[in-house]
Amino acid sequence: MNKHVFRVRVIFADTDAMGIVYHTNYVKWFEIGRTEMMRSIGLVYAEMESEQFNLPLSEAYCHYLSPARYDDVVAIETSIGYVRRASIRFDYEIWDEERTRQLVEGYTVHACTNREGRIVRFKNDFIEKINRHL
C-alpha cells in the first residue's frame, strides 16, 4: 500500500504551556496528510464538493505515543486503509523528522454523501484514482 508523506514544522501556536504539541493538533495534521495525499493522486476536495459529494468524518481514532515539541519537524504518513461503496478509511502515522520515534498512530473514517447529507456511492472516477494509488 502506498504511503504519502508530508512534513510540517511545529509552530508555537500548536503547543501548550509546556511547549508540547496540544493533542487536537494531531487530528488537524491527519486532515493535512489526507488532503495532501488526495491532492497528489488527483482528488482535490474543492473539486469534489463542486461535483456535489462530500466526505464528512464519521469516526476518528488517535493513539498518542510520544510528544512533539515546538520547532520539531514531523512527518505525516497517510495511507488508505479501505474503500467501500460509500466510505473510506485513512490511516496515519506521525513520526519525528528522522523517522526514529513514532509520535502518533490513528485513522479516520469518512462517509460519502451528497450535498443534502444523504449517503451515496463513490463516483467511478474517484474509485479509479484511488485504485491506481493502491
Side-chain angles (χ1 to χ4, degrees):
M1 179 153 325
N2 292 329
K3 286 187 177 184
H4 180 269
V5 179
F6 191 79
R7 287 179 170 67
V8 173
R9 182 171 302 277
V10 177
I11 63 173
F12 188 74
D14 290 336
T15 64
D16 61 17
M18 298 175 288
I20 295 172
V21 170
Y22 187 68
H23 68 279
T24 59
N25 285 304
Y26 293 101
V27 176
K28 177 181 74 174
W29 292 342
F30 287 179
E31 181 176 356
I32 292 170
R34 178 177 67 253
T35 300
E36 294 301 325
M37 185 198 75
M38 291 185 59
R39 182 181 302 279
S40 76
I41 61 176
L43 295 167
V44 179
Y45 270 106
E47 292 172 7
M48 293 184 331
E49 289 175 353
S50 71
E51 294 175 15
Q52 300 189 16
F53 84 96
N54 301 302
L55 294 176
L57 181 70
S58 63
E59 183 178 349
Y61 170 78
C62 190
H63 183 201
Y64 303 97
L65 302 166
S66 186
R69 299 178 186 282
Y70 172 68
D71 208 37
D72 288 352
V73 173
V74 298
I76 307 162
E77 294 185 2
T78 307
S79 59
I80 297 171
Y82 64 72
V83 180
R84 297 191 176 137
R85 287 184 260 178
S87 66
I88 186 168
R89 174 178 154 156
F90 296 92
D91 295 329
Y92 311 94
E93 293 179 358
I94 299 179
W95 292 81
D96 66 344
E97 185 174 23
E98 294 79 30
R99 206 175 187 287
T100 57
R101 185 171 48 99
Q102 187 176 5
L103 309 174
V104 168
E105 61 187 3
Y107 64 85
T108 58
V109 178
H110 302 260
C112 182
T113 66
N114 63 17
R115 194 165 271 167
E116 291 76 39
R118 289 192 207 106
I119 301 289
V120 295
R121 289 181 179 221
F122 286 114
K123 295 182 177 186
N124 287 337
D125 63 328
F126 179 92
I127 296 297
E128 289 169 11
K129 288 178 181 178
I130 294 290
N131 285 337
R132 278 197 302 268
H133 178 71
L134 296 175

Short mmCIF file of all heavy atoms in Angstrom, two decimals, residues 100-133:
data_model
loop_
_atom_site.label_atom_id
_atom_site.label_comp_id
_atom_site.label_asym_id
_atom_site.label_seq_id
_atom_site.Cartn_x
_atom_site.Cartn_y
_atom_site.Cartn_z
N THR A 100 12.75 8.09 13.60
CA THR A 100 13.28 7.22 14.65
C THR A 100 12.30 7.07 15.81
O THR A 100 12.45 6.15 16.61
CB THR A 100 14.62 7.78 15.21
OG1 THR A 100 14.40 9.10 15.70
CG2 THR A 100 15.69 7.81 14.13
N ARG A 101 11.33 7.97 15.88
CA ARG A 101 10.38 7.95 17.00
C ARG A 101 8.97 8.20 16.46
O ARG A 101 8.69 9.25 15.91
CB ARG A 101 10.77 9.04 18.00
CG ARG A 101 9.98 9.08 19.27
CD ARG A 101 10.61 10.06 20.27
NE ARG A 101 10.94 11.35 19.68
CZ ARG A 101 10.18 12.45 19.79
NH1 ARG A 101 9.07 12.43 20.48
NH2 ARG A 101 10.56 13.58 19.22
N GLN A 102 8.10 7.19 16.63
CA GLN A 102 6.71 7.38 16.22
C GLN A 102 6.00 8.16 17.30
O GLN A 102 6.06 7.83 18.49
CB GLN A 102 6.02 6.04 15.97
CG GLN A 102 4.64 6.20 15.38
CD GLN A 102 3.97 4.89 15.03
OE1 GLN A 102 4.50 3.82 15.31
NE2 GLN A 102 2.80 4.97 14.44
N LEU A 103 5.29 9.20 16.87
CA LEU A 103 4.60 10.08 17.81
C LEU A 103 3.14 9.69 18.00
O LEU A 103 2.63 9.71 19.12
CB LEU A 103 4.68 11.53 17.32
CG LEU A 103 6.08 12.03 16.96
CD1 LEU A 103 6.00 13.42 16.35
CD2 LEU A 103 6.99 12.00 18.17
N VAL A 104 2.48 9.36 16.89
CA VAL A 104 1.05 9.10 16.92
C VAL A 104 0.71 8.09 15.83
O VAL A 104 1.36 8.04 14.79
CB VAL A 104 0.26 10.41 16.65
CG1 VAL A 104 -1.21 10.15 16.37
CG2 VAL A 104 0.40 11.36 17.81
N GLU A 105 -0.32 7.28 16.11
CA GLU A 105 -0.92 6.45 15.06
C GLU A 105 -2.42 6.64 15.18
O GLU A 105 -2.94 6.91 16.26
CB GLU A 105 -0.54 4.98 15.22
CG GLU A 105 -1.00 4.37 16.53
CD GLU A 105 -0.49 2.96 16.76
OE1 GLU A 105 0.29 2.45 15.94
OE2 GLU A 105 -0.88 2.37 17.78
N GLY A 106 -3.11 6.52 14.05
CA GLY A 106 -4.55 6.70 14.11
C GLY A 106 -5.20 6.50 12.76
O GLY A 106 -4.54 6.11 11.79
N TYR A 107 -6.49 6.76 12.74
CA TYR A 107 -7.23 6.64 11.48
C TYR A 107 -8.47 7.52 11.55
O TYR A 107 -8.89 7.95 12.63
CB TYR A 107 -7.63 5.19 11.19
CG TYR A 107 -8.60 4.58 12.18
CD1 TYR A 107 -9.98 4.77 12.06
CD2 TYR A 107 -8.14 3.83 13.25
CE1 TYR A 107 -10.87 4.21 12.97
CE2 TYR A 107 -9.01 3.26 14.17
CZ TYR A 107 -10.37 3.46 14.02
OH TYR A 107 -11.25 2.91 14.93
N THR A 108 -9.00 7.81 10.37
CA THR A 108 -10.30 8.46 10.26
C THR A 108 -11.12 7.71 9.23
O THR A 108 -10.57 7.16 8.26
CB THR A 108 -10.18 9.95 9.85
OG1 THR A 108 -9.50 10.05 8.60
CG2 THR A 108 -9.48 10.77 10.91
N VAL A 109 -12.42 7.65 9.46
CA VAL A 109 -13.36 7.04 8.52
C VAL A 109 -14.29 8.15 8.05
O VAL A 109 -14.76 8.96 8.84
CB VAL A 109 -14.16 5.90 9.16
CG1 VAL A 109 -15.16 5.31 8.18
CG2 VAL A 109 -13.22 4.82 9.71
N HIS A 110 -14.53 8.16 6.73
CA HIS A 110 -15.36 9.20 6.12
C HIS A 110 -16.45 8.56 5.28
O HIS A 110 -16.18 7.63 4.52
CB HIS A 110 -14.51 10.11 5.23
CG HIS A 110 -13.39 10.74 5.98
ND1 HIS A 110 -13.45 12.03 6.44
CD2 HIS A 110 -12.18 10.25 6.38
CE1 HIS A 110 -12.34 12.31 7.09
NE2 HIS A 110 -11.55 11.24 7.06
N ALA A 111 -17.65 9.07 5.44
CA ALA A 111 -18.77 8.63 4.61
C ALA A 111 -18.76 9.43 3.32
O ALA A 111 -18.21 10.53 3.26
CB ALA A 111 -20.09 8.86 5.34
N CYS A 112 -19.34 8.89 2.29
CA CYS A 112 -19.53 9.63 1.04
C CYS A 112 -20.99 10.08 1.02
O CYS A 112 -21.91 9.25 1.08
CB CYS A 112 -19.23 8.74 -0.17
SG CYS A 112 -19.39 9.61 -1.73
N THR A 113 -21.18 11.40 0.97
CA THR A 113 -22.55 11.94 0.99
C THR A 113 -22.73 12.94 -0.15
O THR A 113 -21.77 13.50 -0.66
CB THR A 113 -22.87 12.65 2.32
OG1 THR A 113 -22.05 13.80 2.44
CG2 THR A 113 -22.68 11.72 3.51
N ASN A 114 -23.99 13.16 -0.47
CA ASN A 114 -24.29 14.21 -1.43
C ASN A 114 -24.45 15.52 -0.66
O ASN A 114 -24.28 15.57 0.56
CB ASN A 114 -25.53 13.87 -2.28
CG ASN A 114 -26.80 13.74 -1.47
OD1 ASN A 114 -26.89 14.17 -0.32
ND2 ASN A 114 -27.80 13.12 -2.06
N ARG A 115 -24.80 16.57 -1.37
CA ARG A 115 -24.90 17.89 -0.74
C ARG A 115 -25.97 17.93 0.35
O ARG A 115 -25.88 18.71 1.29
CB ARG A 115 -25.19 18.93 -1.82
CG ARG A 115 -24.96 20.33 -1.30
CD ARG A 115 -24.89 21.34 -2.39
NE ARG A 115 -23.48 21.44 -2.82
CZ ARG A 115 -23.09 22.04 -3.91
NH1 ARG A 115 -23.95 22.58 -4.72
NH2 ARG A 115 -21.83 22.11 -4.22
N GLU A 116 -27.01 17.10 0.22
CA GLU A 116 -28.08 17.07 1.23
C GLU A 116 -27.71 16.21 2.44
O GLU A 116 -28.50 16.07 3.36
CB GLU A 116 -29.38 16.55 0.61
CG GLU A 116 -30.02 17.49 -0.40
CD GLU A 116 -29.30 17.48 -1.75
OE1 GLU A 116 -28.87 16.39 -2.19
OE2 GLU A 116 -29.14 18.56 -2.33
N GLY A 117 -26.54 15.60 2.42
CA GLY A 117 -26.11 14.77 3.53
C GLY A 117 -26.54 13.32 3.46
O GLY A 117 -26.35 12.57 4.41
N ARG A 118 -27.10 12.92 2.34
CA ARG A 118 -27.50 11.51 2.18
C ARG A 118 -26.31 10.68 1.71
O ARG A 118 -25.52 11.12 0.88
CB ARG A 118 -28.62 11.40 1.15
CG ARG A 118 -29.93 11.96 1.67
CD ARG A 118 -31.11 11.57 0.76
NE ARG A 118 -32.13 12.59 0.89
CZ ARG A 118 -32.39 13.51 -0.03
NH1 ARG A 118 -31.78 13.52 -1.17
NH2 ARG A 118 -33.32 14.42 0.20
N ILE A 119 -26.22 9.47 2.23
CA ILE A 119 -25.15 8.54 1.84
C ILE A 119 -25.32 8.20 0.36
O ILE A 119 -26.41 7.86 -0.09
CB ILE A 119 -25.20 7.25 2.68
CG1 ILE A 119 -25.05 7.56 4.18
CG2 ILE A 119 -24.16 6.25 2.21
CD1 ILE A 119 -23.68 8.00 4.59
N VAL A 120 -24.20 8.29 -0.39
CA VAL A 120 -24.19 7.91 -1.80
C VAL A 120 -22.93 7.10 -2.08
O VAL A 120 -21.97 7.14 -1.31
CB VAL A 120 -24.23 9.15 -2.74
CG1 VAL A 120 -25.54 9.91 -2.59
CG2 VAL A 120 -23.05 10.07 -2.49
N ARG A 121 -22.94 6.35 -3.17
CA ARG A 121 -21.76 5.59 -3.57
C ARG A 121 -20.72 6.54 -4.16
O ARG A 121 -21.06 7.57 -4.73
CB ARG A 121 -22.12 4.56 -4.63
CG ARG A 121 -22.93 3.42 -4.07
CD ARG A 121 -23.21 2.42 -5.18
NE ARG A 121 -23.97 1.32 -4.64
CZ ARG A 121 -23.75 0.06 -4.94
NH1 ARG A 121 -22.84 -0.27 -5.84
NH2 ARG A 121 -24.47 -0.88 -4.38
N PHE A 122 -19.47 6.13 -4.05
CA PHE A 122 -18.40 6.89 -4.69
C PHE A 122 -18.58 6.86 -6.19
O PHE A 122 -19.01 5.86 -6.76
CB PHE A 122 -17.03 6.31 -4.34
CG PHE A 122 -16.59 6.59 -2.94
CD1 PHE A 122 -16.44 5.57 -2.03
CD2 PHE A 122 -16.31 7.90 -2.54
CE1 PHE A 122 -16.03 5.82 -0.74
CE2 PHE A 122 -15.90 8.16 -1.25
CZ PHE A 122 -15.75 7.13 -0.35
N LYS A 123 -18.19 7.95 -6.83
CA LYS A 123 -18.22 8.00 -8.30
C LYS A 123 -17.09 7.13 -8.84
O LYS A 123 -16.06 6.94 -8.19
CB LYS A 123 -18.08 9.45 -8.77
CG LYS A 123 -19.26 10.30 -8.35
CD LYS A 123 -19.13 11.70 -8.87
CE LYS A 123 -20.37 12.49 -8.48
NZ LYS A 123 -20.38 13.82 -9.06
N ASN A 124 -17.28 6.63 -10.05
CA ASN A 124 -16.30 5.73 -10.66
C ASN A 124 -14.92 6.37 -10.78
O ASN A 124 -13.91 5.70 -10.54
CB ASN A 124 -16.79 5.24 -12.03
CG ASN A 124 -17.90 4.22 -11.89
OD1 ASN A 124 -18.05 3.57 -10.87
ND2 ASN A 124 -18.70 4.10 -12.94
N ASP A 125 -14.85 7.65 -11.16
CA ASP A 125 -13.53 8.27 -11.33
C ASP A 125 -12.79 8.37 -10.00
O ASP A 125 -11.57 8.24 -9.95
CB ASP A 125 -13.63 9.62 -12.03
CG ASP A 125 -14.41 10.65 -11.24
OD1 ASP A 125 -15.35 10.29 -10.52
OD2 ASP A 125 -14.08 11.85 -11.37
N PHE A 126 -13.52 8.56 -8.90
CA PHE A 126 -12.92 8.57 -7.57
C PHE A 126 -12.30 7.21 -7.29
O PHE A 126 -11.13 7.11 -6.90
CB PHE A 126 -13.98 8.92 -6.52
CG PHE A 126 -13.45 8.95 -5.11
CD1 PHE A 126 -12.98 10.14 -4.56
CD2 PHE A 126 -13.44 7.81 -4.32
CE1 PHE A 126 -12.50 10.17 -3.25
CE2 PHE A 126 -12.97 7.83 -3.02
CZ PHE A 126 -12.50 9.02 -2.49
N ILE A 127 -13.07 6.15 -7.50
CA ILE A 127 -12.58 4.78 -7.24
C ILE A 127 -11.39 4.46 -8.13
O ILE A 127 -10.41 3.86 -7.67
CB ILE A 127 -13.73 3.76 -7.46
CG1 ILE A 127 -14.85 4.00 -6.44
CG2 ILE A 127 -13.21 2.33 -7.38
CD1 ILE A 127 -14.47 3.80 -5.00
N GLU A 128 -11.42 4.86 -9.39
CA GLU A 128 -10.33 4.59 -10.30
C GLU A 128 -9.03 5.27 -9.83
O GLU A 128 -7.96 4.65 -9.84
CB GLU A 128 -10.67 5.04 -11.72
CG GLU A 128 -11.71 4.16 -12.40
CD GLU A 128 -12.25 4.76 -13.68
OE1 GLU A 128 -11.68 5.76 -14.19
OE2 GLU A 128 -13.24 4.21 -14.19
N LYS A 129 -9.11 6.51 -9.40
CA LYS A 129 -7.92 7.21 -8.91
C LYS A 129 -7.39 6.59 -7.63
O LYS A 129 -6.18 6.44 -7.47
CB LYS A 129 -8.23 8.70 -8.71
CG LYS A 129 -8.38 9.44 -10.03
CD LYS A 129 -8.73 10.90 -9.82
CE LYS A 129 -8.89 11.58 -11.18
NZ LYS A 129 -9.28 12.98 -11.05
N ILE A 130 -8.28 6.20 -6.74
CA ILE A 130 -7.85 5.53 -5.52
C ILE A 130 -7.17 4.21 -5.84
O ILE A 130 -6.10 3.90 -5.32
CB ILE A 130 -9.06 5.31 -4.56
CG1 ILE A 130 -9.60 6.64 -4.04
CG2 ILE A 130 -8.70 4.37 -3.42
CD1 ILE A 130 -8.71 7.38 -3.07
N ASN A 131 -7.78 3.41 -6.71
CA ASN A 131 -7.21 2.10 -7.07
C ASN A 131 -5.85 2.24 -7.74
O ASN A 131 -4.96 1.41 -7.50
CB ASN A 131 -8.17 1.32 -7.96
CG ASN A 131 -9.34 0.76 -7.18
OD1 ASN A 131 -9.26 0.58 -5.95
ND2 ASN A 131 -10.43 0.50 -7.84
N ARG A 132 -5.65 3.28 -8.56
CA ARG A 132 -4.33 3.50 -9.17
C ARG A 132 -3.29 3.79 -8.09
O ARG A 132 -2.13 3.42 -8.20
CB ARG A 132 -4.39 4.63 -10.18
CG ARG A 132 -4.91 4.21 -11.53
CD ARG A 132 -4.59 5.23 -12.62
NE ARG A 132 -5.10 6.56 -12.38
CZ ARG A 132 -6.29 7.00 -12.81
NH1 ARG A 132 -7.08 6.22 -13.50
NH2 ARG A 132 -6.67 8.23 -12.54
N HIS A 133 -3.72 4.49 -7.03
CA HIS A 133 -2.81 4.81 -5.93
C HIS A 133 -2.47 3.57 -5.12
O HIS A 133 -1.34 3.45 -4.64
CB HIS A 133 -3.43 5.88 -5.04
CG HIS A 133 -2.60 6.24 -3.85
ND1 HIS A 133 -1.43 6.95 -3.96
CD2 HIS A 133 -2.74 5.94 -2.54
CE1 HIS A 133 -0.90 7.10 -2.76
NE2 HIS A 133 -1.67 6.51 -1.88
#
